[in-house]
Amino acid sequence: MTIRVVVADDQTAVREGLALLLDLLDDVTVVGAAADGEEAIALVNERGADVVLMDLRMPRCDGPTATARIRAEHPETQIVVLTTYAEDADILAALRAGALGYLTKDAGRAQIAAAVRAAAGGQSVLDPQVQQRLLAAASGAGPAAEGALPDGLTAREGDVLRLIAGGLSNREIAAKLFVSEATVKSHINRLFAKTGVRDRAQAVQYAYRHGLTDGS
């Protein structure tokens, strides 16, 4: 499958460099490059995209606003933030808007390529330093304690959701919790039904919104 990507960054050199980098990948095609959020939204509307590589701070329409609008209108399009900024407020704003990945601009070519591929597959990718800051911030952002889980989630369903947000596969979750993969699938089916999420990507966003993450 060829991954269709839109690059959004207000700095011309960065925007063109990212487009060139991604076009060198055999499985990626850059379908457009935008100088701000409004252009990114227009390009996704016009050409479609599997992934948008999104800067945060841009004129006219910033990254979180563009992310929220794209995700609302094109839920199949995933957003990976690539920005200079790694402040807690920026990180949480992007993820709450619907971004699936978050990298800083010191990320290397391989890391950016991996994030785009992972996002196209519905998997969350966070820069390690960003992840630690996010988990620290999110730990106090919602009802993460046992007995205070949202939407009637059980403690074990909360455990499974935290591990999904940590990027673990069903097999890895089963090994960590010492249960079968079939049991893990049952927990996932129930928590999906209770929370109204449709896939793992949405489950990750739900976990971050409600502070259901695990820094261990």
Side-chain angles (χ1 to χ4, degrees):
M1 181 188 72
T2 299
I3 303 169
R4 296 167 55 83
V5 176
V6 166
V7 175
D9 197 294
D10 62 333
Q11 296 182 341
T12 303
V14 174
R15 184 171 67 249
E16 293 179 352
L18 288 170
L20 179 60
L21 181 156
L22 292 170
D23 263 336
L24 293 174
L25 302 175
D26 293 338
D27 56 344
V28 173
T29 296
V30 176
V31 297
D36 56 51
E38 289 289 352
E39 287 187 13
I41 294 166
L43 284 170
V44 174
N45 288 339
E46 177 185 348
R47 305 177 187 178
D50 300 305
V51 177
V52 179
L53 200 58
M54 182 81 73
D55 191 16
L56 276 188
R57 301 184 185 179
M58 297 180 289
R60 290 205 302 165
C61 178
D62 64 17
T65 301
T67 294
R69 288 174 58 183
I70 291 171
R71 291 290 295 156
E73 297 173 17
H74 304 277
E76 72 284 358
T77 299
Q78 303 295 350
I79 311 295
V80 174
V81 169
L82 182 65
T83 181
T84 304
Y85 308 98
E87 299 300 323
D88 294 348
D90 292 321
I91 298 167
L92 292 172
L95 293 173
R96 286 169 178 162
L100 191 58
Y102 195 115
L103 299 176
T104 56
K105 286 182 179 176
D106 58 358
R109 173 183 173 182
Q111 191 174 6
I112 294 171
V116 168
R117 290 168 176 147
Q123 298 177 356
S124 178
V125 174
L126 300 175
D127 178 275
Q129 293 182 353
V130 168
Q131 186 171 27
Q132 291 304 313
R133 297 188 65 162
L134 173 65
L135 294 175
S139 64
E146 285 190 25
L149 298 176
D151 295 319
L153 293 175
T154 66
R156 180 44 59 96
E157 289 163 358
D159 291 339
V160 172
L161 183 57
R162 291 184 184 95
L163 295 172
I164 290 174
L168 274 66
S169 66
N170 286 4
R171 179 176 296 181
E172 290 168 333
I173 293 171
K176 193 171 184 69
L177 298 181
F178 301 101
V179 298
S180 69
E181 286 190 61
T183 297
V184 171
K185 290 178 182 178
S186 294
H187 287 312
I188 290 175
N189 288 338
R190 286 197 294 271
L191 74 87
F192 276 24
K194 289 180 180 180
T195 61
V197 304
R198 297 191 300 272
D199 52 35
R200 295 177 86 92
Q202 291 186 359
V204 169
Q205 299 308 320
Y206 180 95
Y208 282 118
R209 283 198 305 272
H210 293 277
L212 299 174
T213 55
D214 188 353
S216 62

